[in-house]
Amino acid sequence: MMTVQSCVKIRNEWDIVAARQMGRNVAKDLGFGTVDQARITTAISELARNIYLYAGTGQICIEEMNEYGKMGLRVIATDDGPGISDIRQVMEDGFSTSGGLGAGLPGVKRLMDSFSIDSESGQGTTINAVKWVR
Ligand SMILES: Nc1ncnc2c1ncn2[C@@H]1O[C@H](COP(=O)(O)OP(=O)(O)OP(=O)(O)O)[C@@H](O)[C@H]1O
Ligand SMILES: [Mg+2]
């Protein structure tokens, strides 16, 4: 099966806006309602902003999913930055190494239907999040 995937490289703050826009367009095409479109674009913003802040550069890819007729959207955020050594810690509300709110990653987890982090210290980070059309 062919998987439709579109990616945006994250190198500056404008790229965060571009990734958001790409997510909104795909979500709209797949038939997500406006509230879920907003959830998806917020999640993409947080992931892209983290790439920009903590890794410098990376990319956001969006995949269309169709499993047994169920439509969905997968967001894959990847970077070759410093990585995350303690994944449980960064998933705690309020944990931040930059004086931020520490709401980004726990927020993404709540906004999406599934969420996983694959990272090790010094190995970069891949974050995978899926939302299904209801
Ligand atoms: N791509 C990444 N690479 C390395 N570390 C990351 C990455 N994304 C997040 N982190 C680490 O996880 C912590 C928590 O991220 P999270 O987005 O939840 O909060 P924040 O960015 O600190 O604040 P907020 O997003 O609320 O402004 C960050 O402070 C940072 O230390
Ligand atoms: Mg953040």
Side-chain angles (χ1 to χ4, degrees):
M1 195 193 89
M2 272 272 292
T3 309
V4 184
Q5 195 190 53
S6 336
C7 301
V8 169
K9 287 209 168 73
I10 305 299
R11 288 174 287 218
N12 55 55
E13 285 170 271
W14 307 113
D15 296 330
I16 301 173
V17 180
R20 220 187 135 87
Q21 195 57 54
M22 170 180 73
R24 185 177 298 278
N25 289 340
V26 175
K28 215 183 267 177
D29 286 349
L30 284 171
F32 282 98
T34 51
V35 174
D36 275 347
Q37 286 175 34
R39 290 188 174 109
I40 289 164
T41 53
T42 302
I44 291 170
S45 288
E46 290 300 330
L47 295 174
R49 211 157 56 85
N50 282 353
I51 289 173
Y52 176 65
L53 277 177
Y54 306 115
T57 60
Q59 63 175 356
I60 300 279
C61 293
I62 309 285
E63 266 178 28
E64 296 181 15
M65 301 171 77
N66 184 345
E67 282 183 12
Y68 313 107
K70 209 167 74 152
M71 306 300 284
L73 180 154
R74 184 191 299 280
V75 180
I76 308 158
T78 34
D79 66 65
D80 295 317
I84 296 169
S85 53
D86 190 340
I87 289 169
R88 208 175 56 188
Q89 188 176 45
V90 300
M91 291 312 295
E92 279 168 20
D93 271 307
F95 176 83
S96 177
T97 55
S98 66
L101 288 177
L105 292 176
V108 173
K109 184 174 182 182
R110 281 191 287 265
L111 291 166
M112 302 293 282
D113 293 330
S114 80
F115 176 90
S116 68
I117 301 181
D118 185 10
S119 184
E120 266 175 62
S121 193
Q123 299 285 322
T125 301
T126 299
I127 297 178
N128 209 298
V130 173
K131 189 93 185 155
W132 296 103
V133 177
R134 284 177 296 167

PDB file of all heavy atoms in Angstrom, residues 66-91:
ATOM      1  N   ASN A  66      -5.351   4.905   6.457  1.00  0.00           N
ATOM      2  CA  ASN A  66      -6.646   4.294   6.148  1.00  0.00           C
ATOM      3  C   ASN A  66      -6.541   2.828   6.556  1.00  0.00           C
ATOM      4  O   ASN A  66      -5.955   2.026   5.851  1.00  0.00           O
ATOM      5  CB  ASN A  66      -6.947   4.436   4.657  1.00  0.00           C
ATOM      6  CG  ASN A  66      -8.319   3.897   4.300  1.00  0.00           C
ATOM      7  OD1 ASN A  66      -8.944   3.174   5.089  1.00  0.00           O
ATOM      8  ND2 ASN A  66      -8.793   4.229   3.124  1.00  0.00           N
ATOM      9  N   GLU A  67      -7.065   2.518   7.740  1.00  0.00           N
ATOM     10  CA  GLU A  67      -7.017   1.140   8.222  1.00  0.00           C
ATOM     11  C   GLU A  67      -8.426   0.596   8.288  1.00  0.00           C
ATOM     12  O   GLU A  67      -9.229   1.048   9.088  1.00  0.00           O
ATOM     13  CB  GLU A  67      -6.339   1.085   9.604  1.00  0.00           C
ATOM     14  CG  GLU A  67      -4.824   1.188   9.471  1.00  0.00           C
ATOM     15  CD  GLU A  67      -4.102   1.075  10.808  1.00  0.00           C
ATOM     16  OE1 GLU A  67      -4.729   0.695  11.821  1.00  0.00           O
ATOM     17  OE2 GLU A  67      -2.903   1.389  10.821  1.00  0.00           O
ATOM     18  N   TYR A  68      -8.699  -0.389   7.439  1.00  0.00           N
ATOM     19  CA  TYR A  68     -10.032  -0.996   7.369  1.00  0.00           C
ATOM     20  C   TYR A  68     -11.102   0.067   7.210  1.00  0.00           C
ATOM     21  O   TYR A  68     -12.153   0.031   7.856  1.00  0.00           O
ATOM     22  CB  TYR A  68     -10.292  -1.842   8.625  1.00  0.00           C
ATOM     23  CG  TYR A  68      -9.155  -2.750   8.982  1.00  0.00           C
ATOM     24  CD1 TYR A  68      -8.353  -2.483  10.071  1.00  0.00           C
ATOM     25  CD2 TYR A  68      -8.861  -3.864   8.191  1.00  0.00           C
ATOM     26  CE1 TYR A  68      -7.274  -3.311  10.392  1.00  0.00           C
ATOM     27  CE2 TYR A  68      -7.790  -4.686   8.493  1.00  0.00           C
ATOM     28  CZ  TYR A  68      -7.010  -4.408   9.595  1.00  0.00           C
ATOM     29  OH  TYR A  68      -5.962  -5.214   9.904  1.00  0.00           O
ATOM     30  N   GLY A  69     -10.825   1.062   6.349  1.00  0.00           N
ATOM     31  CA  GLY A  69     -11.811   2.096   6.067  1.00  0.00           C
ATOM     32  C   GLY A  69     -11.857   3.215   7.088  1.00  0.00           C
ATOM     33  O   GLY A  69     -12.588   4.188   6.929  1.00  0.00           O
ATOM     34  N   LYS A  70     -11.062   3.087   8.153  1.00  0.00           N
ATOM     35  CA  LYS A  70     -11.016   4.140   9.161  1.00  0.00           C
ATOM     36  C   LYS A  70      -9.916   5.123   8.783  1.00  0.00           C
ATOM     37  O   LYS A  70      -8.771   4.709   8.581  1.00  0.00           O
ATOM     38  CB  LYS A  70     -10.736   3.507  10.540  1.00  0.00           C
ATOM     39  CG  LYS A  70     -11.315   4.280  11.692  1.00  0.00           C
ATOM     40  CD  LYS A  70     -11.291   3.486  12.991  1.00  0.00           C
ATOM     41  CE  LYS A  70      -9.899   3.383  13.573  1.00  0.00           C
ATOM     42  NZ  LYS A  70      -9.871   3.250  15.024  1.00  0.00           N
ATOM     43  N   MET A  71     -10.273   6.410   8.646  1.00  0.00           N
ATOM     44  CA  MET A  71      -9.296   7.400   8.214  1.00  0.00           C
ATOM     45  C   MET A  71      -8.609   8.030   9.414  1.00  0.00           C
ATOM     46  O   MET A  71      -9.233   8.288  10.443  1.00  0.00           O
ATOM     47  CB  MET A  71      -9.980   8.515   7.412  1.00  0.00           C
ATOM     48  CG  MET A  71     -10.815   8.041   6.240  1.00  0.00           C
ATOM     49  SD  MET A  71      -9.837   7.137   5.033  1.00  0.00           S
ATOM     50  CE  MET A  71      -8.994   8.520   4.267  1.00  0.00           C
ATOM     51  N   GLY A  72      -7.316   8.299   9.255  1.00  0.00           N
ATOM     52  CA  GLY A  72      -6.571   8.929  10.333  1.00  0.00           C
ATOM     53  C   GLY A  72      -5.384   9.706   9.823  1.00  0.00           C
ATOM     54  O   GLY A  72      -5.071   9.679   8.633  1.00  0.00           O
ATOM     55  N   LEU A  73      -4.746  10.386  10.732  1.00  0.00           N
ATOM     56  CA  LEU A  73      -3.588  11.218  10.394  1.00  0.00           C
ATOM     57  C   LEU A  73      -2.480  10.939  11.412  1.00  0.00           C
ATOM     58  O   LEU A  73      -2.730  10.909  12.619  1.00  0.00           O
ATOM     59  CB  LEU A  73      -4.028  12.686  10.433  1.00  0.00           C
ATOM     60  CG  LEU A  73      -3.056  13.806  10.126  1.00  0.00           C
ATOM     61  CD1 LEU A  73      -3.822  15.017   9.611  1.00  0.00           C
ATOM     62  CD2 LEU A  73      -2.258  14.188  11.354  1.00  0.00           C
ATOM     63  N   ARG A  74      -1.267  10.675  10.889  1.00  0.00           N
ATOM     64  CA  ARG A  74      -0.133  10.452  11.757  1.00  0.00           C
ATOM     65  C   ARG A  74       0.841  11.613  11.634  1.00  0.00           C
ATOM     66  O   ARG A  74       1.146  12.061  10.526  1.00  0.00           O
ATOM     67  CB  ARG A  74       0.590   9.153  11.365  1.00  0.00           C
ATOM     68  CG  ARG A  74       1.751   8.795  12.286  1.00  0.00           C
ATOM     69  CD  ARG A  74       2.605   7.676  11.718  1.00  0.00           C
ATOM     70  NE  ARG A  74       1.886   6.429  11.526  1.00  0.00           N
ATOM     71  CZ  ARG A  74       1.627   5.558  12.497  1.00  0.00           C
ATOM     72  NH1 ARG A  74       2.024   5.797  13.735  1.00  0.00           N
ATOM     73  NH2 ARG A  74       0.973   4.451  12.236  1.00  0.00           N
ATOM     74  N   VAL A  75       1.294  12.118  12.781  1.00  0.00           N
ATOM     75  CA  VAL A  75       2.314  13.165  12.804  1.00  0.00           C
ATOM     76  C   VAL A  75       3.605  12.518  13.289  1.00  0.00           C
ATOM     77  O   VAL A  75       3.611  11.845  14.324  1.00  0.00           O
ATOM     78  CB  VAL A  75       1.930  14.303  13.787  1.00  0.00           C
ATOM     79  CG1 VAL A  75       2.998  15.393  13.791  1.00  0.00           C
ATOM     80  CG2 VAL A  75       0.561  14.870  13.463  1.00  0.00           C
ATOM     81  N   ILE A  76       4.675  12.695  12.519  1.00  0.00           N
ATOM     82  CA  ILE A  76       5.978  12.168  12.923  1.00  0.00           C
ATOM     83  C   ILE A  76       6.952  13.341  13.008  1.00  0.00           C
ATOM     84  O   ILE A  76       7.230  13.996  12.002  1.00  0.00           O
ATOM     85  CB  ILE A  76       6.507  11.124  11.918  1.00  0.00           C
ATOM     86  CG1 ILE A  76       5.457  10.041  11.668  1.00  0.00           C
ATOM     87  CG2 ILE A  76       7.803  10.494  12.433  1.00  0.00           C
ATOM     88  CD1 ILE A  76       5.657   9.310  10.360  1.00  0.00           C
ATOM     89  N   ALA A  77       7.442  13.593  14.220  1.00  0.00           N
ATOM     90  CA  ALA A  77       8.405  14.675  14.437  1.00  0.00           C
ATOM     91  C   ALA A  77       9.769  14.045  14.692  1.00  0.00           C
ATOM     92  O   ALA A  77       9.912  13.235  15.614  1.00  0.00           O
ATOM     93  CB  ALA A  77       7.978  15.518  15.638  1.00  0.00           C
ATOM     94  N   THR A  78      10.753  14.368  13.861  1.00  0.00           N
ATOM     95  CA  THR A  78      12.092  13.782  14.048  1.00  0.00           C
ATOM     96  C   THR A  78      13.164  14.854  14.082  1.00  0.00           C
ATOM     97  O   THR A  78      13.079  15.862  13.374  1.00  0.00           O
ATOM     98  CB  THR A  78      12.488  12.818  12.902  1.00  0.00           C
ATOM     99  OG1 THR A  78      11.943  13.293  11.682  1.00  0.00           O
ATOM    100  CG2 THR A  78      12.048  11.421  13.144  1.00  0.00           C
ATOM    101  N   ASP A  79      14.164  14.602  14.893  1.00  0.00           N
ATOM    102  CA  ASP A  79      15.339  15.485  14.900  1.00  0.00           C
ATOM    103  C   ASP A  79      16.568  14.700  15.334  1.00  0.00           C
ATOM    104  O   ASP A  79      16.449  13.589  15.864  1.00  0.00           O
ATOM    105  CB  ASP A  79      15.104  16.693  15.828  1.00  0.00           C
ATOM    106  CG  ASP A  79      14.980  16.313  17.297  1.00  0.00           C
ATOM    107  OD1 ASP A  79      15.962  15.824  17.880  1.00  0.00           O
ATOM    108  OD2 ASP A  79      13.884  16.499  17.871  1.00  0.00           O
ATOM    109  N   ASP A  80      17.738  15.282  15.051  1.00  0.00           N
ATOM    110  CA  ASP A  80      19.004  14.682  15.472  1.00  0.00           C
ATOM    111  C   ASP A  80      19.617  15.498  16.596  1.00  0.00           C
ATOM    112  O   ASP A  80      20.836  15.633  16.675  1.00  0.00           O
ATOM    113  CB  ASP A  80      19.978  14.611  14.285  1.00  0.00           C
ATOM    114  CG  ASP A  80      19.464  13.682  13.202  1.00  0.00           C
ATOM    115  OD1 ASP A  80      18.973  12.599  13.546  1.00  0.00           O
ATOM    116  OD2 ASP A  80      19.526  14.060  12.015  1.00  0.00           O
ATOM    117  N   GLY A  81      18.761  16.049  17.438  1.00  0.00           N
ATOM    118  CA  GLY A  81      19.211  16.901  18.535  1.00  0.00           C
ATOM    119  C   GLY A  81      19.752  16.096  19.707  1.00  0.00           C
ATOM    120  O   GLY A  81      20.134  14.936  19.547  1.00  0.00           O
ATOM    121  N   PRO A  82      19.760  16.704  20.900  1.00  0.00           N
ATOM    122  CA  PRO A  82      20.380  16.093  22.074  1.00  0.00           C
ATOM    123  C   PRO A  82      19.649  14.860  22.612  1.00  0.00           C
ATOM    124  O   PRO A  82      20.202  14.125  23.423  1.00  0.00           O
ATOM    125  CB  PRO A  82      20.368  17.216  23.105  1.00  0.00           C
ATOM    126  CG  PRO A  82      19.226  18.084  22.688  1.00  0.00           C
ATOM    127  CD  PRO A  82      19.215  18.039  21.197  1.00  0.00           C
ATOM    128  N   GLY A  83      18.398  14.655  22.160  1.00  0.00           N
ATOM    129  CA  GLY A  83      17.638  13.515  22.657  1.00  0.00           C
ATOM    130  C   GLY A  83      17.057  13.770  24.031  1.00  0.00           C
ATOM    131  O   GLY A  83      17.288  14.814  24.650  1.00  0.00           O
ATOM    132  N   ILE A  84      16.271  12.808  24.506  1.00  0.00           N
ATOM    133  CA  ILE A  84      15.601  12.911  25.808  1.00  0.00           C
ATOM    134  C   ILE A  84      16.011  11.682  26.608  1.00  0.00           C
ATOM    135  O   ILE A  84      15.752  10.551  26.188  1.00  0.00           O
ATOM    136  CB  ILE A  84      14.069  12.958  25.626  1.00  0.00           C
ATOM    137  CG1 ILE A  84      13.662  14.232  24.864  1.00  0.00           C
ATOM    138  CG2 ILE A  84      13.349  12.864  26.968  1.00  0.00           C
ATOM    139  CD1 ILE A  84      12.211  14.246  24.402  1.00  0.00           C
ATOM    140  N   SER A  85      16.678  11.899  27.737  1.00  0.00           N
ATOM    141  CA  SER A  85      17.171  10.747  28.504  1.00  0.00           C
ATOM    142  C   SER A  85      16.090  10.157  29.397  1.00  0.00           C
ATOM    143  O   SER A  85      16.029   8.946  29.588  1.00  0.00           O
ATOM    144  CB  SER A  85      18.395  11.139  29.326  1.00  0.00           C
ATOM    145  OG  SER A  85      18.104  12.264  30.108  1.00  0.00           O
ATOM    146  N   ASP A  86      15.232  11.021  29.953  1.00  0.00           N
ATOM    147  CA  ASP A  86      14.186  10.536  30.862  1.00  0.00           C
ATOM    148  C   ASP A  86      12.811  10.896  30.290  1.00  0.00           C
ATOM    149  O   ASP A  86      12.300  11.995  30.503  1.00  0.00           O
ATOM    150  CB  ASP A  86      14.385  11.160  32.246  1.00  0.00           C
ATOM    151  CG  ASP A  86      13.478  10.526  33.306  1.00  0.00           C
ATOM    152  OD1 ASP A  86      12.458   9.905  32.930  1.00  0.00           O
ATOM    153  OD2 ASP A  86      13.797  10.649  34.499  1.00  0.00           O
ATOM    154  N   ILE A  87      12.229   9.958  29.559  1.00  0.00           N
ATOM    155  CA  ILE A  87      10.973  10.235  28.848  1.00  0.00           C
ATOM    156  C   ILE A  87       9.816  10.438  29.828  1.00  0.00           C
ATOM    157  O   ILE A  87       8.953  11.275  29.632  1.00  0.00           O
ATOM    158  CB  ILE A  87      10.688   9.118  27.814  1.00  0.00           C
ATOM    159  CG1 ILE A  87      11.699   9.242  26.651  1.00  0.00           C
ATOM    160  CG2 ILE A  87       9.255   9.208  27.275  1.00  0.00           C
ATOM    161  CD1 ILE A  87      11.734   8.094  25.695  1.00  0.00           C
ATOM    162  N   ARG A  88       9.832   9.672  30.940  1.00  0.00           N
ATOM    163  CA  ARG A  88       8.754   9.820  31.924  1.00  0.00           C
ATOM    164  C   ARG A  88       8.743  11.239  32.500  1.00  0.00           C
ATOM    165  O   ARG A  88       7.690  11.834  32.702  1.00  0.00           O
ATOM    166  CB  ARG A  88       8.922   8.787  33.036  1.00  0.00           C
ATOM    167  CG  ARG A  88       7.594   8.411  33.669  1.00  0.00           C
ATOM    168  CD  ARG A  88       7.738   7.322  34.681  1.00  0.00           C
ATOM    169  NE  ARG A  88       8.711   7.683  35.710  1.00  0.00           N
ATOM    170  CZ  ARG A  88       9.149   6.845  36.650  1.00  0.00           C
ATOM    171  NH1 ARG A  88       8.697   5.604  36.674  1.00  0.00           N
ATOM    172  NH2 ARG A  88      10.016   7.229  37.547  1.00  0.00           N
ATOM    173  N   GLN A  89       9.940  11.778  32.726  1.00  0.00           N
ATOM    174  CA  GLN A  89      10.070  13.118  33.301  1.00  0.00           C
ATOM    175  C   GLN A  89       9.487  14.197  32.368  1.00  0.00           C
ATOM    176  O   GLN A  89       8.746  15.065  32.812  1.00  0.00           O
ATOM    177  CB  GLN A  89      11.554  13.386  33.542  1.00  0.00           C
ATOM    178  CG  GLN A  89      11.855  14.639  34.312  1.00  0.00           C
ATOM    179  CD  GLN A  89      13.350  14.760  34.583  1.00  0.00           C
ATOM    180  OE1 GLN A  89      14.176  14.542  33.693  1.00  0.00           O
ATOM    181  NE2 GLN A  89      13.711  15.073  35.814  1.00  0.00           N
ATOM    182  N   VAL A  90       9.799  14.118  31.078  1.00  0.00           N
ATOM    183  CA  VAL A  90       9.301  15.164  30.165  1.00  0.00           C
ATOM    184  C   VAL A  90       7.799  15.055  29.937  1.00  0.00           C
ATOM    185  O   VAL A  90       7.179  15.998  29.458  1.00  0.00           O
ATOM    186  CB  VAL A  90      10.033  15.188  28.794  1.00  0.00           C
ATOM    187  CG1 VAL A  90      11.512  15.447  28.971  1.00  0.00           C
ATOM    188  CG2 VAL A  90       9.784  13.920  27.990  1.00  0.00           C
ATOM    189  N   MET A  91       7.199  13.905  30.294  1.00  0.00           N
ATOM    190  CA  MET A  91       5.752  13.750  30.155  1.00  0.00           C
ATOM    191  C   MET A  91       4.992  14.240  31.387  1.00  0.00           C
ATOM    192  O   MET A  91       3.761  14.216  31.411  1.00  0.00           O
ATOM    193  CB  MET A  91       5.386  12.288  29.875  1.00  0.00           C
ATOM    194  CG  MET A  91       5.827  11.793  28.507  1.00  0.00           C
ATOM    195  SD  MET A  91       5.397  12.917  27.159  1.00  0.00           S
ATOM    196  CE  MET A  91       3.599  12.829  27.251  1.00  0.00           C
TER     197      MET A  91
END
